[in-house]
Amino acid sequence: MSTVQSTEPSTPAFSVATRAPEGIVLAASAAKRLAKLSAAEGKTLMLRVAVDGGGCSGFQYRFELVETAEDDDLRIQADGQTALIDPVSVPFLKNSEIAYVDELAGAQFVVRNPNAASSCGCGVSFSI
Protein backbone atom coordinates (compact mmCIF):
# COMPACT_ATOMS: atom_id res chain seq x y z
CA MET A 1 0.00 0.00 0.00
CA SER A 2 1.37 3.39 -0.93
CA THR A 3 0.45 6.82 0.35
CA VAL A 4 0.71 10.16 -1.36
CA GLN A 5 1.46 13.30 0.59
CA SER A 6 0.94 16.77 -0.77
CA THR A 7 3.78 19.23 -0.44
CA GLU A 8 1.42 22.21 -0.76
CA PRO A 9 0.20 23.84 2.45
CA SER A 10 -3.35 22.97 3.32
CA THR A 11 -5.93 25.72 3.34
CA PRO A 12 -8.74 25.60 5.86
CA ALA A 13 -12.22 24.93 4.52
CA PHE A 14 -13.45 28.09 6.20
CA SER A 15 -12.11 31.05 8.15
CA VAL A 16 -13.60 32.80 11.13
CA ALA A 17 -13.34 36.56 11.53
CA THR A 18 -11.81 37.53 14.84
CA ARG A 19 -14.24 40.39 15.29
CA ALA A 20 -17.37 41.52 13.45
CA PRO A 21 -17.79 45.21 12.62
CA GLU A 22 -21.00 45.39 14.70
CA GLY A 23 -22.78 47.28 11.93
CA ILE A 24 -20.78 50.49 12.42
CA VAL A 25 -20.45 52.52 9.22
CA LEU A 26 -18.12 55.32 8.12
CA ALA A 27 -20.27 57.61 5.98
CA ALA A 28 -19.00 59.00 2.69
CA SER A 29 -19.09 62.50 4.20
CA ALA A 30 -16.65 61.46 6.95
CA ALA A 31 -14.39 59.60 4.51
CA LYS A 32 -14.28 62.65 2.23
CA ARG A 33 -13.36 64.94 5.15
CA LEU A 34 -10.65 62.53 6.35
CA ALA A 35 -9.18 62.49 2.82
CA LYS A 36 -9.08 66.31 2.78
CA LEU A 37 -7.46 66.47 6.23
CA SER A 38 -4.87 63.87 5.23
CA ALA A 39 -4.06 65.77 2.05
CA ALA A 40 -3.70 69.03 3.97
CA GLU A 41 -1.35 67.40 6.50
CA GLY A 42 0.60 65.50 3.85
CA LYS A 43 0.17 62.17 5.69
CA THR A 44 -2.48 59.52 6.20
CA LEU A 45 -4.75 60.30 9.13
CA MET A 46 -7.34 58.05 10.73
CA LEU A 47 -10.29 59.11 12.87
CA ARG A 48 -10.32 57.58 16.35
CA VAL A 49 -13.85 57.50 17.80
CA ALA A 50 -14.26 56.67 21.48
CA VAL A 51 -17.00 56.77 24.08
CA ASP A 52 -16.07 58.24 27.46
CA GLY A 53 -18.07 58.62 30.65
CA GLY A 54 -19.22 62.18 31.31
CA GLY A 55 -20.97 64.94 29.46
CA CYS A 56 -24.38 66.28 30.32
CA SER A 57 -26.13 63.03 29.31
CA GLY A 58 -23.84 60.39 30.85
CA PHE A 59 -21.55 59.46 27.95
CA GLN A 60 -19.70 61.56 25.42
CA TYR A 61 -18.05 60.97 22.07
CA ARG A 62 -14.37 61.73 21.64
CA PHE A 63 -12.87 62.27 18.18
CA GLU A 64 -9.15 62.34 17.52
CA LEU A 65 -7.05 62.32 14.36
CA VAL A 66 -4.23 59.77 14.62
CA GLU A 67 -1.56 58.28 12.38
CA THR A 68 -1.36 54.81 13.92
CA ALA A 69 -3.83 52.24 15.17
CA GLU A 70 -3.69 50.10 18.28
CA ASP A 71 -3.54 46.33 17.76
CA ASP A 72 -7.02 45.77 19.20
CA ASP A 73 -8.79 48.63 17.38
CA LEU A 74 -11.81 47.86 15.25
CA ARG A 75 -11.16 49.35 11.80
CA ILE A 76 -14.08 50.77 9.85
CA GLN A 77 -13.16 51.65 6.26
CA ALA A 78 -14.88 53.53 3.46
CA ASP A 79 -13.53 55.09 0.28
CA GLY A 80 -9.94 54.35 1.33
CA GLN A 81 -10.31 56.09 4.70
CA THR A 82 -10.31 54.55 8.18
CA ALA A 83 -12.06 55.12 11.50
CA LEU A 84 -10.73 53.35 14.58
CA ILE A 85 -12.77 52.25 17.59
CA ASP A 86 -11.35 50.78 20.79
CA PRO A 87 -12.93 47.52 22.03
CA VAL A 88 -14.55 49.16 25.07
CA SER A 89 -16.41 51.69 22.88
CA VAL A 90 -17.67 49.20 20.26
CA PRO A 91 -20.82 48.06 22.18
CA PHE A 92 -21.91 51.70 22.67
CA LEU A 93 -21.55 52.37 18.93
CA LYS A 94 -23.22 49.23 17.57
CA ASN A 95 -25.11 49.96 14.32
CA SER A 96 -24.04 53.63 14.37
CA GLU A 97 -22.97 55.84 11.49
CA ILE A 98 -19.92 58.10 11.78
CA ALA A 99 -20.48 61.12 9.56
CA TYR A 100 -19.23 64.65 8.95
CA VAL A 101 -21.72 67.52 8.90
CA ASP A 102 -21.16 71.10 7.79
CA GLU A 103 -24.14 73.12 8.98
CA LEU A 104 -24.90 76.65 10.11
CA ALA A 105 -24.18 75.61 13.71
CA GLY A 106 -20.71 74.36 12.71
CA ALA A 107 -18.77 71.64 10.96
CA GLN A 108 -17.89 68.49 12.88
CA PHE A 109 -17.72 64.72 12.94
CA VAL A 110 -20.89 63.23 14.45
CA VAL A 111 -22.19 59.82 15.47
CA ARG A 112 -25.71 58.87 14.47
CA ASN A 113 -26.33 56.34 17.20
CA PRO A 114 -29.59 54.32 17.24
CA ASN A 115 -28.72 53.08 20.75
CA ALA A 116 -28.85 56.55 22.31
CA ALA A 117 -32.04 57.03 24.31
CA SER A 118 -31.38 60.77 24.50
CA SER A 119 -28.66 63.23 23.61
CA CYS A 120 -27.77 66.80 24.43
CA GLY A 121 -28.34 69.71 22.09
CA CYS A 122 -24.76 69.76 20.82
CA GLY A 123 -24.88 66.04 19.96
CA VAL A 124 -21.61 65.25 21.74
CA SER A 125 -23.10 63.51 24.79
CA PHE A 126 -25.78 60.85 25.04
CA SER A 127 -27.43 58.34 27.34
CA ILE A 128 -28.42 54.73 26.78
Side-chain angles (χ1 to χ4, degrees):
M1 179 161 128
S2 65
T3 60
V4 177
Q5 290 183 324
S6 173
T7 58
E8 294 185 31
S10 64
T11 52
F14 63 93
S15 62
V16 177
T18 56
R19 181 174 46 206
E22 301 294 339
I24 303 167
V25 175
L26 182 64
S29 61
K32 184 177 177 181
R33 182 62 180 164
L34 276 172
K36 284 184 180 181
L37 291 169
S38 292
E41 290 290 321
K43 55 189 169 189
T44 301
L45 297 173
M46 296 176 277
L47 178 66
R48 176 172 297 288
V49 181
V51 174
D52 296 328
C56 55
S57 296
F59 296 100
Q60 60 188 0
Y61 301 114
R62 180 171 35 92
F63 300 99
E64 181 181 8
L65 295 172
V66 297
E67 294 179 54
T68 57
E70 299 296 328
D71 290 338
D72 60 351
D73 281 339
L74 173 66
R75 292 172 177 257
I76 309 296
Q77 297 182 320
D79 301 329
Q81 303 303 310
T82 304
L84 305 169
I85 303 170
D86 64 272
V88 174
S89 298
V90 169
F92 295 103
L93 298 170
K94 187 175 181 179
N95 297 318
S96 293
E97 179 185 50
I98 302 163
Y100 182 78
V101 296
D102 191 352
E103 300 172 336
L104 186 59
Q108 62 186 348
F109 287 102
V110 298
V111 175
R112 296 181 180 129
N113 189 341
N115 306 305
S118 64
S119 62
C120 67
C122 66
V124 174
S125 69
F126 67 101
S127 66
I128 293 184

